[in-house]
Amino acid sequence: MGASLAQSKLKTIEKLENQMPDSLSTQIDTRKPVLNLPTPPRGSKLLVQLSDGAIAYTPDSPPILKEINISIERGQRIAVRGPNGAGKSTQFSALSGELKLVNGQRLLGDGLELGYFKQDLAQVLDPSLSAVEVVVDNVRQIDPTISDEKARNVLGSLGLVKEKATRLVGHLSGGEKARVALA
């Protein structure tokens, strides 16, 4: 009885293998995402600076980071590295102004429009909206003339093509949600 069951399973596997296409790569979109950012305005040399900064989650709580001194200038590239829980994201929240300093000073360069991609940004997207709806709803707050077609083109350039652009955000993978947030 065991041998006949095994033979039956082998035949089923052979049938499935014969039904599969020769190469799965023909079904996978191999285009690489492309991100085209507009050239930013020149602005001042100093972009953002924290001087003797201290950060706390509430004004009454003890600082979680203190004596922060950092300056970022035009053309400069920075990398922030450290173990989990060291305060990297918290420091970026203070640089962006999202988290207020309890001590010290935050300076922004003239004409600076600061933005950054938060590591958990994709998690706050409305799962009941499609990718196109999320992009259109957010961009229309800045540019009311944005069309659904333009939003689909941007999503497509980031690898969200065809039905993925109209799929509900709640049904997208983590990487796809990150692309929606980036768009």
Side-chain angles (χ1 to χ4, degrees):
M1 176 119 175
S4 64
L5 182 60
Q7 287 297 324
S8 173
K9 296 287 182 191
L10 281 173
K11 285 182 182 179
T12 302
I13 291 171
E14 286 176 16
K15 285 181 185 177
L16 290 172
E17 285 176 343
N18 290 336
Q19 292 174 358
M20 287 179 56
D22 291 337
S23 171
L24 290 177
S25 66
T26 60
Q27 297 177 4
I28 298 172
D29 187 358
T30 58
R31 291 178 289 183
K32 291 186 178 178
V34 176
L35 182 61
N36 293 317
L37 298 174
T39 303
R42 183 135 174 99
S44 62
K45 182 175 181 186
L46 177 67
L47 299 177
V48 64
Q49 181 178 48
L50 293 181
S51 301
D52 296 321
I55 306 167
Y57 285 112
T58 65
D60 299 332
S61 62
I64 49 178
L65 292 173
K66 55 187 176 181
E67 298 179 22
I68 303 169
N69 292 293
I70 185 170
S71 295
I72 302 174
E73 296 181 351
R74 183 178 358 103
Q76 191 175 21
R77 306 275 193 258
I78 63 168
V80 179
R81 196 179 136 191
N84 290 343
K88 302 177 297 290
S89 296
T90 303
Q91 189 165 335
F92 274 107
S93 293
L95 278 168
S96 72
E98 179 183 337
L99 190 59
K100 303 298 180 213
L101 297 176
V102 293
N103 192 26
Q105 188 176 25
R106 176 178 170 265
L107 297 172
L108 290 180
D110 293 333
L112 179 70
E113 290 184 37
L114 184 62
Y116 75 105
F117 189 85
K118 292 173 55 170
Q119 66 183 0
D120 59 351
L121 182 62
Q123 304 310 314
V124 298
L125 300 176
D126 186 341
S128 67
L129 295 177
S130 71
V132 171
E133 290 170 326
V134 168
V135 172
V136 168
D137 288 353
N138 283 288
V139 174
R140 281 195 178 142
Q141 294 175 17
I142 300 165
D143 179 4
T145 65
I146 185 76
S147 67
D148 288 6
E149 181 183 356
K150 177 68 175 169
R152 285 182 68 107
N153 287 340
V154 171
L155 287 166
S157 72
L158 294 172
L160 294 171
V161 295
K162 300 179 183 171
E163 89 290 341
K164 285 188 181 179
T166 57
R167 192 178 293 171
L168 293 180
V169 169
H171 296 158
L172 296 174
S173 71
E176 290 166 338
K177 287 177 187 176
R179 292 184 212 172
V180 172
L182 193 56

